[in-house]
Amino acid sequence: MPIKRKATIRPVLNHLQPQGISDISEYGAQFDDVIPMWFGESDLVTPEPARRALIESLESGATFYQAQNGHVALRNAIAAYDSRLHAKPVQADRITVTASGMTALHVALQTIVDAGDNVVLVTPIWPNAPAAVQIMGAEARRVSLINQIDGRWRLDLDALFDACDDRTRAIFVNSPNNPTGWMCSREEQQAILDFARTKGIWVIADEVYHRIVYDRETAPSFLDLAEPEDPVLAINSFSKSWAMTGWRLGWLTAPPSIFETLGLMVQYNNSNSPEFIQAAGIAAIQDCEPFVEKFRNYCTTGRDILRDILGPVNRIQIAEPEAAFYAFFKVDGEPDSMALAKRLVREARVGVAPGMSFGDESEGWLRLCFAQDPKLLRTGLERIADALR
Ligand SMILES: Cc1ncc(COP(=O)(O)O)c(C=O)c1O
């Protein structure tokens, strides 16, 4: 008799945590009338010029394989966009198109991280980032932002640098930050870039919320500071600025010297993004700037409603977010965020994300996305306020 051996999955995957945001939305699916604010997306549909560009592209027969780094027309459009928004010009040989911001992160990590390495992440953070590091067999090292008395968040640069060692391959900074709304300042970015330059490590700058800011046109970006060959991998996405979460289109801005390697990484993951989706991306960049403005106003209205309704609730500790479209708040006497999120679903019929999804440091917090229809948002927030008063 041959010996029987059980086929197994990679041990490292046994340590992946369930994605708490999906867990709570699945829990909520059994109830009617839940107002969903748990996901990182608004209720606006993608602007019309992008939708039309996809239809026209498909109807013209754009159904074939494409260049692995992305269609040259989209790469040129992104380079022009990056150059317009940032202090330094960006050439198209730094742009690689990916099938989402999430894929851009995988491609970046596959390019620079080996098993046994570590990546130091500024947290709280969107759970997919540390999970992607773990999938590489690397260690996700967390350095938490400090929550100050006024509810705002502050980065401890010394703690960040102290967390790096010989096996550190990258510092991951998501700014504007999901879930806290924190923004890394120009001075902090300069210090991180200088540190990365001297240590020979990468900065992975997740800047998918860079247009969703309230007191300026764009958030401070590592691309304002980086020379082309600096060790910066900037992740961006069509999901947030143009309400294109379902389309799965993003990009990496990287040094030209690794352009070909990044192309190979795309090739060996999904070969390329569909041409008709990329056509929509070009239209988003070139024709949908009015939407970006409108969306920012939509978020501003949401932020005002949030301040009016949750601000006065004594048990809720909340600060106005500087950027992105999330309220991240703590509720006195509620240490278990998943239990509280479930209670809000059951008793108030509102869907919020439990803080534990964003790391142990966020247990006891809740996140909600306020980029929603003002009337519905008002109703949802009033239900939360009533339940937590
Ligand atoms: C911080 C951050 N980065 C990247 C992404 C990925 O966006 P997508 O994969 O939809 O492009 C998200 C999505 O929620 C996010 O919050």
Side-chain angles (χ1 to χ4, degrees), residues 40 99-103 125-126 172 174 176-178 206 208-209 235-240 244-245 248-250 326 367:
S100 73
M102 184 67 230
T103 311
I125 183 62
W126 169 61
F172 176 95
N174 164 226
N177 176 257
N178 171 12
D206 179 337
V208 304
Y209 297 99
I235 294 171
N236 217 319
S237 169
F238 288 81
S239 286
K240 314 292 173 175
M244 292 175 71
T245 48
R248 317 313 298 135
L249 190 64
Y326 301 110
R367 186 201 76 176

Side-chain angles (χ1 to χ4, degrees), residues 10-22 101-103 105-107 109-110 113-115 117-142 172 204 206 356-361:
R10 293 165 58 213
V12 75
L13 301 186
N14 293 321
H15 303 293
L16 279 182
Q17 296 296 317
Q19 219 250 30
I21 309 169
S22 305
M102 184 67 230
T103 311
L105 175 57
H106 279 302
V107 164
L109 292 172
Q110 288 167 8
V113 172
D114 276 320
D117 288 339
N118 67 69
V119 174
V120 175
L121 301 104
V122 176
T123 66
I125 183 62
W126 169 61
N128 296 28
V133 174
Q134 273 178 273
I135 289 169
M136 296 301 300
E139 180 195 351
R141 277 194 192 166
R142 310 176 70 93
F172 176 95
I204 303 178
D206 179 337
M356 46 74 78
S357 313
F358 307 96
D360 290 347
E361 62 279 70

Side-chain angles (χ1 to χ4, degrees), residues 4-5 16-17 68 95 109 124 141 172 208 212 216 298 344 350 353 356-357 371 384:
K4 265 196 183 170
R5 286 224 187 99
L16 279 182
Q17 296 296 317
Q68 55 197 15
I95 307 297
L109 292 172
R141 277 194 192 166
F172 176 95
V208 304
I212 306 167
R216 59 194 95 188
Y298 194 67
L344 288 173
V350 281
M356 46 74 78
S357 313
I384 294 176

